[in-house]
Amino acid sequence: NILALLSEVLKDCGVGGEEKVAKLCYLALTSRVCERPVSLAVKGPSSSGKSYVTSQVLRFLPNSAYHALTAMSDKALMFSDEELVHRFLVLIEAEGLKSDMASYLVRSLLSEGRISYETVISTTTEGPRSLLIEKEGPTGLLVTTTAANLHPENETRLLSVTVQDTKEQTKAILRSLATDETSEVDLSDWIGFQEWLGTAEHRVVILFAKAIADLSNPAGVRFRRDFGSLLTLIKTHAILHQLNRQRDEDGRIIANLDDYLMVHALVADIISEGLGQAVSKTVRET
């Protein structure tokens, strides 16, 4: 159970609580190897620890897995030299997505798997001429924000997970700060594992996918996207545990019910809340 092991190591890294957020971040970041990565918005009030949890999970991955920024200009994605193929764009605070142009470019990258933008440039010899800028994906987005909602067109393309602001979670953080026994954890094995995953088998078959579809409650149109994210996360969990999974005659990994149960525990409430079919514990208390 790699995600359970992740939680144990994160405690040594000084992360108190927020197991669900950490596991989902790691699983989403690993989905970069899939055809359509699962993008994630980590939400919470200021000082809730969302950025800290995210930054600690990033330590378990090689730099080649993501491109992290605290902010970016409107057209930075188009002109950046960074390759984004099977990588994650990580934005610490969603301020970098405030402009319509930045939101549009990210939306194109998530939905179409690429950016194709034609603009006009001035040249000394030919005068104004058109220039086609293309940026290839697929690319995932991991963003932290204090906002309750992002741009409505982007919101439906992300799974939103909220860090806990309960008294119990605050106590867990206080205990972590009080002990101050954070050790310098060697994460080289975790980084090596992620590098290996980049070259390992990524084809997964979910034999029970149709059964999940038939048993699901399509309470809103956005569930069409959420269902795709659900299947991708199941595939990602199977990819993580591929040495313990059976293969079909074509060599594809066969996802089993353990993969579904773990993913269900992580996203069932998130998807239900996104569809307006459930209310979080925090909102109920409020």
Side-chain angles (χ1 to χ4, degrees):
N1 190 333
I2 291 170
L3 296 185
L5 183 59
L6 174 79
S7 294
E8 292 303 313
V9 180
L10 278 170
K11 290 178 184 177
D12 296 332
C13 294
V15 177
E18 297 298 358
E19 287 188 16
K20 187 174 183 178
V21 175
K23 289 178 178 178
L24 193 51
C25 281
Y26 185 79
L27 200 58
L29 286 163
T30 305
S31 74
R32 73 187 186 280
V33 303
C34 298
E35 188 177 338
R36 279 190 173 273
V38 175
S39 297
L40 194 65
V42 181
K43 300 178 177 179
S46 180
S47 301
S48 60
K50 58 188 178 301
S51 297
Y52 181 73
V53 173
T54 303
S55 62
Q56 290 300 310
V57 172
L58 287 174
R59 292 178 57 201
F60 288 70
L61 290 92
N63 292 333
S64 60
Y66 62 90
H67 178 45
L69 297 169
T70 55
M72 65 178 181
S73 64
D74 287 3
K75 301 178 182 178
L77 277 183
M78 287 189 298
F79 296 101
S80 173
D81 293 329
E82 286 286 337
E83 290 291 335
L84 296 176
V85 180
H86 290 295
R87 293 183 79 191
F88 256 73
L89 175 63
V90 180
L91 290 177
I92 307 302
E93 294 303 331
E95 288 297 312
L97 287 178
K98 254 194 168 182
S99 75
D100 289 339
M101 175 57 73
S103 290
Y104 169 75
L105 292 176
V106 168
R107 190 157 62 246
S108 296
L109 201 54
L110 299 185
S111 295
E112 309 303 325
R114 61 197 296 268
I115 294 174
S116 184
Y117 184 85
E118 191 165 22
T119 185
V120 177
I121 61 171
S122 179
T123 65
T124 55
T125 57
E126 302 176 24
R129 69 178 184 86
S130 65
L131 174 67
L132 180 63
I133 301 173
E134 295 186 301
K135 201 78 175 175
E136 294 296 331
T139 306
L141 174 67
L142 175 58
V143 60
T144 65
T145 180
T146 56
N149 294 290
L150 300 174
H151 188 289
E153 288 289 336
N154 291 341
E155 185 77 34
T156 59
R157 290 167 169 82
L158 304 161
L159 289 180
S160 296
V161 56
T162 305
V163 295
Q164 302 176 62
D165 58 358
T166 61
K167 291 182 179 179
E168 293 78 14
Q169 176 58 25
T170 301
K171 283 185 178 180
I173 294 173
L174 295 179
R175 287 192 210 99
S176 179
L177 292 172
T179 54
D180 195 27
E181 294 178 354
T182 304
S183 57
E184 190 60 40
V185 182
D186 181 10
L187 300 176
S188 57
D189 283 347
W190 287 89
I191 294 172
F193 175 54
Q194 283 287 333
E195 289 174 339
W196 172 77
L197 282 176
T199 62
E201 181 60 69
H202 302 148
R203 297 173 303 157
V204 181
V205 57
I206 306 174
L207 300 176
F208 48 86
K210 187 176 183 298
I212 300 176
D214 291 340
L215 292 167
S216 295
N217 174 23
V221 174
R222 73 158 289 165
F223 187 62
R224 299 175 186 180
R225 282 202 176 110
D226 288 344
F227 186 71
S229 297
L230 172 68
L231 295 181
T232 298
L233 290 175
I234 294 172
K235 290 178 180 179
T236 304
H237 194 269
I239 290 171
L240 279 173
H241 298 84
Q242 60 182 273
L243 297 183
N244 299 319
R245 297 293 181 266
Q246 295 181 347
R247 303 289 182 102
D248 66 6
E249 61 273 11
D250 295 322
R252 297 178 299 177
I253 305 163
I254 300 177
N256 63 26
L257 289 179
D258 288 339
D259 300 313
Y260 173 68
L261 289 172
M262 177 58 74
V263 173
H264 181 277
L266 292 176
V267 303
D269 291 345
I270 294 171
I271 291 177
S272 294
E273 289 166 22
L275 292 170
Q277 298 301 299
V279 179
S280 68
K281 179 182 177 183
T282 303
V283 173
R284 286 186 183 278
E285 290 178 351
T286 303

